[in-house]
Amino acid sequence: MRVLFHSVQALLLTGLLLAVFKPLRERFWDHLESGGGTLPWGPWAAGAGMFAWLGFLKYVQFRGFKLPMDSADQMSTVWGFLHGRGFHNPFLGKSALALHFAPILALFSPALLICPHPLGLFFLQSASLASAGPAAFLLARRKSGSDALGWLALAVVYLNPFFFDAASASFLAQVFIFPLFLWSVYLFEEGRWRLFGACFAALLGCSEQVPFILAGFGVHLAAAGALGKKKKKFLAGAFLALAAAGLWGAEMKLKTHLLKGEDAYWGYYRHLGSEAGDGAASVLARPWALFKAVFWPLSNAGAFGRLLLSAALLPLFSWSAFLV
């Protein structure tokens, strides 16, 4: 993984050089746009190659006992659903939905009929994550009409440090959020409603983190609609943000019911107040405390730094064509 991370850094540095030096960037762009190295099956070949690499990493991790508790936890739920036990989790002694709202685990159970081994689920996760590259390519090309922009979108996905964090993670429903979100947006843009509905439904079942992603996307759409004086876009974004908030509230109600009064993760935030409203009021009244928690000590800022590093290729994009 260290060698892989250094190669990612080198490629990101190449992206920065292309962004700075205009003649080099124009030659590179023209080469991509004219079809150099962009055969029709190119993105799929890149996805297949990434799947092979991620699958190999997962095999090495599995054989080295590097995939801890979460894999056993969620795989037990998948196995139990296949054998008629519903979402009962033997580690919790109650429904797995009490810990994470992840009904998508039920969809993975048929994979154990094909390959009754943990590696079958690990390879399924790797294939899903690898498909994010072709999804980004197709989405960017559809929005811009540019093959070059499609390839750069694929590169931004595969060179993102967080992508490799997800690739090395245990078997988790949350890892499927990223590829399912990209495919949902692409299928929506294409007007392929049945496939979009299936993909979006699977996305909603990944975890209670999904509503936050949808809310952020809704706020973005609403802001873009307001700035562009597009009323329908603004209303669609506002509706999506509000619907996401309602979905998260419903999921929290379900979790609270299934937990039957136990704290679970809630106990971590007791210092902010006894009620959820107290926590929100504490953050709003002392925003500097939130800033300090994120950036100090400096080691805490690593995640933010990785986010900036992952955006190193973004200057190559044509902003007017890429932004929705």
Side-chain angles (χ1 to χ4, degrees), residues 107 180 183-188 191-205:
L107 297 179
L180 285 173
W183 281 113
S184 294
V185 175
Y186 171 69
L187 293 170
F188 179 85
R192 301 169 71 173
W193 303 116
R194 291 183 179 180
L195 287 176
F196 163 73
C199 197
F200 189 68
L203 172 65
L204 293 179

Side-chain angles (χ1 to χ4, degrees), residues 78-79 82 108-124:
V78 175
W79 183 90
L82 181 64
F108 302 146
S109 56
L112 292 179
L113 292 174
I114 301 172
C115 179
H117 192 281
L119 282 174
L121 293 177
F122 284 129
F123 291 154
L124 176 65

Side-chain angles (χ1 to χ4, degrees), residues 1-320:
M1 289 299 289
R2 182 176 297 178
V3 173
L4 181 61
F5 183 70
H6 289 319
S7 68
V8 169
Q9 288 180 314
L11 288 170
L12 288 172
L13 179 60
T14 302
L16 285 173
L17 291 174
L18 289 172
V20 172
F21 296 104
K22 184 178 179 180
L24 183 62
R25 181 175 71 248
E26 289 179 345
R27 287 182 59 187
F28 175 73
W29 191 274
D30 290 343
H31 178 68
L32 288 178
E33 203 64 83
S34 64
T38 58
L39 295 172
W41 44 265
W44 300 104
M50 182 57 71
F51 165 63
W53 175 244
L54 297 183
F56 171 72
L57 290 179
K58 272 286 167 281
Y59 175 78
V60 171
Q61 284 181 294
F62 178 77
R63 297 291 295 178
F65 300 97
K66 300 296 184 181
L67 296 162
M69 178 72 174
D70 286 335
S71 294
D73 177 70
Q74 298 214 355
M75 286 183 178
S76 294
T77 302
V78 175
W79 183 90
F81 193 90
L82 181 64
H83 291 81
R85 298 183 181 180
F87 288 102
H88 178 78
N89 185 298
F91 289 87
L92 294 175
K94 55 174 65 70
S95 173
L97 301 182
L99 187 61
H100 291 296
F101 182 78
I104 193 175
L105 294 175
L107 297 179
F108 302 146
S109 56
L112 292 179
L113 292 174
I114 301 172
C115 179
H117 192 281
L119 282 174
L121 293 177
F122 284 129
F123 291 154
L124 176 65
Q125 179 173 286
S126 297
S128 175
L129 198 56
S131 76
F137 176 93
L138 293 171
L139 178 59
R141 185 177 65 178
R142 192 191 186 288
K143 298 294 292 184
S144 67
S146 167
D147 277 356
L149 191 60
W151 277 103
L152 288 175
L154 181 146
V156 167
V157 167
Y158 283 163
L159 301 180
N160 191 320
F162 291 113
F163 177 84
F164 290 101
D165 286 344
S168 60
S170 300
F171 180 77
L172 293 167
Q174 291 91 326
V175 174
F176 293 83
I177 294 175
F178 178 44
L180 285 173
F181 177 76
L182 286 177
W183 281 113
S184 294
V185 175
Y186 171 69
L187 293 170
F188 179 85
E189 291 285 346
E190 285 284 299
R192 301 169 71 173
W193 303 116
R194 291 183 179 180
L195 287 176
F196 163 73
C199 197
F200 189 68
L203 172 65
L204 293 179
C206 283
S207 84
E208 62 279 2
Q209 297 165 356
V210 173
F212 288 90
I213 297 172
L214 297 180
F217 193 54
V219 170
H220 167 70
L221 286 178
L227 292 173
K229 297 182 179 180
K230 298 178 180 179
K231 186 177 180 180
K232 289 185 177 180
K233 195 170 190 178
F234 170 78
L235 292 176
F239 174 79
L240 179 59
L242 291 173
L247 175 63
W248 183 78
E251 291 176 357
M252 292 303 101
K253 284 287 187 182
L254 175 63
K255 288 181 64 174
T256 301
H257 171 72
L258 293 174
L259 283 169
K260 298 178 180 178
E262 295 181 18
D263 273 343
Y265 293 130
W266 306 112
Y268 297 154
Y269 308 102
R270 291 296 186 193
H271 63 288
L272 295 176
S274 58
E275 302 291 339
D278 296 337
S282 179
V283 171
L284 292 174
R286 297 183 300 155
W288 58 88
L290 179 63
F291 182 85
K292 181 180 178 181
V294 173
F295 294 102
W296 190 262
L298 292 179
S299 58
N300 288 357
F304 184 73
R306 289 160 70 82
L307 182 63
L308 292 179
L309 178 64
S310 69
L313 285 178
L314 289 179
L316 294 176
F317 281 83
S318 172
W319 297 103
S320 60

